[in-house]
Amino acid sequence: MQQHEMAKQFIAKLGWFSPLSREGHEVLRGLTSARPRRLLPGEDIIGEGERPRAVNILVSGWACRCKQLTNGRRQIISLILPGDTCEHVVFVPDEMDHSIIALSPSSTIEMPQNVLDILAREHPHLALALKWEAFVGTAVQREWTVNLGQRTAVERMAHLFCELFVRLQMVGLAEGQGFAMPLTQGDLADALGLSTVHVNRTLQELRGRGLLNLRNRHLTILDFDVLSATANFNRAYLHLSSRAQVNGKAEAS
Amino acid sequence: MQQHEMAKQFIAKLGWFSPLSREGHEVLRGLTSARPRRLLPGEDIIGEGERPRAVNILVSGWACRCKQLTNGRRQIISLILPGDTCEHVVFVPDEMDHSIIALSPSSTIEMPQNVLDILAREHPHLALALKWEAFVGTAVQREWTVNLGQRTAVERMAHLFCELFVRLQMVGLAEGQGFAMPLTQGDLADALGLSTVHVNRTLQELRGRGLLNLRNRHLTILDFDVLSATANFNRAYLHLSSRAQVNGKAEAS
DNA sequence: CGGGATCTTGATAAGTTTCAATGGCAGTGG
DNA sequence: CCACTGCCATTGAAACTTATCAAGATCCCG
């Protein structure tokens, strides 16, 4: 990956808030041309209790926000995809109350606090796009709450896959009707609040209904319409409708 | 309630981020002395699809963030207590993707966008406190995700009550070992992702263990230590300790 | 080729929901 | 004052979804 291609997904994502000027592109490229940090699956990007000194941007691989319970169980609170920021941009806490862990081989780059300050002062438009990104993160978190609270295993999994598909489309990482999905069934279980065994069976159910296919870490969505109807999926919570409809790219369904 | 007492809980809550100066107090009082809007249980503070034009602050009563599913079920995404802001302060979306509903007779006041701008420019310390408030909101949302995903009915309910107790203590609305709790068992069910029937039985279980008592819309916690151990409750996610740490840095009053 | 993680399957158990019925309590209007 | 209504809490029984346990199959990597 070229140096200036490093934060491709990050730049693409911010562009969904509103089209970036050429200057905006260049500012972001400059800010994100740092040398990336490489992580192996299971490695902490930042651990619970640490104090973040910069905002990490995931540039490749998948990661998760994750909370470990004392009884050994863990919940994946949210999935972090290429182009997503790992910490919240608007308010940096004293101490992380959860950890952020790489789920596949990944790389991150850092955006130091002072860079954010400069951005806020000199490029209010980009700063607003960053706030939008953080806001969408909270909206996704709310939808996960609904998912875990109200939906059955089949609906939950269908909903997750719909969300991932749309989010990956945003940053150009969907391939036709599917995407590369590095999660194990155990990871899915931790994200969906199910047991591994039940994830396996739910997956079979969805396969059996002819809605999708998961092989070799690649998910193919065979019928997005039925899948999203099953899940009661409504992309409004991702707050990208203004452009999503115009752009054509995301109109595949 | 006196006019200047209106936003008592709101001011108390911001004070947990770091002690407010006398001037800070006065600025907030001035900004929040507006005439309150009164709501009955079930009334929308702001509905799904609406565009918020100001930030609402709940000054009395309880409300909830809530998402209705097409199959008739609903999930209470978060509970809003006196002193909490209803919308996100840092980024105001085009359209609400959920609604905010009063659960008991309530009142709100509005903080218009331009007031927030003034605050950000002229009172950075207060603006930071507001960002902290929003950040704690996201942390609570994450914890609810864990609650719904990983905990049993008993643990979930215990956890919710622990959280509510601490949050109400923050704003001076806990009374000894308990608090006034206007939620019906149906509301609790929607918040905990359980059926009403099971909420009833879970409540009996907790009562039977001698951990709490719920009568006449008043919850008494008989053994907070055991209750929070049952729930695996750890208040770190409420980020209240900021006060102690910021204390040296911003010696204001 | 071996070994560890991952996926799959079956049987059983547990937790939770659903349905249906009952009782209490408060407000309302005749 | 009393019936009537509506909402809320409670109970029992049966059904269903999901978890747990245990074993085997498969895959991948060194």
Side-chain angles (χ1 to χ4, degrees), chain A residues 55-104:
Chain A
V55 172
N56 289 294
I57 300 164
L58 188 68
V59 293
S60 75
W62 287 29
C64 71
R65 211 173 284 284
C66 164
K67 246 176 173 167
Q68 195 81 36
L69 277 78
T70 50
N71 55 6
R73 317 185 64 168
R74 73 165 185 172
Q75 174 70 34
I76 291 182
I77 296 168
S78 62
L79 286 171
I80 301 174
L81 307 179
D84 290 345
T85 53
C86 294
E87 296 87 5
H88 274 285
V89 186
V90 283
F91 183 89
V92 180
D94 280 340
E95 214 176 83
M96 294 291 288
D97 58 17
H98 60 276
S99 46
I100 297 179
I101 303 179
L103 292 171
S104 68

Side-chain angles (χ1 to χ4, degrees), chain A residues 74-175:
Chain A
R74 73 165 185 172
Q75 174 70 34
I76 291 182
I77 296 168
S78 62
L79 286 171
I80 301 174
L81 307 179
D84 290 345
T85 53
C86 294
E87 296 87 5
H88 274 285
V89 186
V90 283
F91 183 89
V92 180
D94 280 340
E95 214 176 83
M96 294 291 288
D97 58 17
H98 60 276
S99 46
I100 297 179
I101 303 179
L103 292 171
S104 68
S106 308
S107 54
T108 62
I109 52 179
E110 279 194 345
M111 209 174 201
Q113 195 57 48
N114 66 319
V115 166
L116 287 172
D117 295 341
I118 292 169
L119 217 60
R121 245 195 340 267
E122 290 168 25
H123 304 279
H125 191 254
L126 291 178
L128 192 60
L130 273 173
K131 286 180 190 169
W132 166 80
E133 201 260 349
F135 168 78
V136 171
T138 69
V140 168
Q141 198 68 60
R142 287 192 293 267
E143 193 61 34
W144 278 46
T145 308
V146 175
N147 215 22
L148 290 168
Q150 298 297 333
R151 290 196 254 258
T152 65
V154 166
E155 294 166 346
R156 249 184 256 187
M157 185 175 285
H159 194 280
L160 178 63
F161 289 149
C162 288
E163 177 185 304
L164 289 174
F165 185 58
V166 174
R167 285 172 61 190
L168 288 166
Q169 269 186 331
M170 280 175 72
V171 294
L173 288 177
E175 301 151 6

Side-chain angles (χ1 to χ4, degrees), chain A residues 29-46:
Chain A
R29 275 203 210 113
L31 296 183
T32 57
S33 61
R35 198 189 165 68
R37 172 176 162 215
R38 307 218 151 259
L39 300 115
L40 291 175
E43 256 188 284
D44 273 14
I45 293 177
I46 183 167

Side-chain angles (χ1 to χ4, degrees), chain B residues 62-243:
Chain B
W62 287 30
C64 70
R65 207 173 287 281
C66 165
K67 244 175 177 171
Q68 195 81 36
L69 277 77
T70 50
N71 56 6
R73 317 186 65 168
R74 73 165 184 172
Q75 174 71 35
I76 292 181
I77 296 168
S78 62
L79 286 170
I80 301 174
L81 307 180
D84 290 345
T85 53
C86 294
E87 296 87 5
H88 275 284
V89 187
V90 282
F91 183 88
V92 180
D94 277 343
E95 212 177 84
M96 293 292 288
D97 59 17
H98 60 275
S99 46
I100 297 178
I101 303 179
L103 291 172
S104 68
S106 307
S107 52
T108 62
I109 52 179
E110 279 194 346
M111 212 173 198
Q113 197 56 48
N114 68 319
V115 167
L116 286 172
D117 295 341
I118 293 169
L119 217 60
R121 247 195 337 268
E122 290 169 27
H123 304 280
H125 190 254
L126 291 178
L128 192 61
L130 273 173
K131 286 181 191 168
W132 167 80
E133 203 260 348
F135 169 78
V136 171
T138 68
V140 168
Q141 198 67 59
R142 285 193 293 267
E143 192 63 33
W144 279 44
T145 307
V146 176
N147 214 23
L148 291 168
Q150 297 298 333
R151 290 195 253 258
T152 65
V154 166
E155 292 166 347
R156 254 186 255 191
M157 185 175 286
H159 195 279
L160 177 63
F161 288 150
C162 287
E163 176 185 305
L164 289 174
F165 185 58
V166 173
R167 284 172 61 188
L168 288 167
Q169 267 186 332
M170 278 175 71
V171 293
L173 287 176
E175 302 151 5
Q177 285 311 301
F179 51 88
M181 212 222 24
L183 305 184
T184 66
Q185 294 186 4
D187 294 332
L188 283 172
D190 290 342
L192 295 170
L194 300 170
S195 66
T196 328
V197 172
H198 204 58
V199 162
N200 184 288
R201 290 179 173 135
T202 307
L203 227 26
Q204 290 178 46
E205 170 72 23
L206 288 173
R207 245 191 309 246
R209 294 193 198 175
L211 299 184
L212 54 79
N213 221 313
L214 178 54
R215 264 202 325 268
N216 300 329
R217 305 277 125 105
H218 187 98
L219 182 86
T220 310
I221 296 179
L222 300 174
D223 192 335
F224 185 86
D225 287 346
V226 175
L227 190 69
S228 63
T230 305
N232 239 294
F233 177 78
N234 175 350
R235 69 171 62 188
Y237 74 94
L238 293 169
H239 293 269
L240 297 177
S241 48
S242 314
R243 186 174 221 180

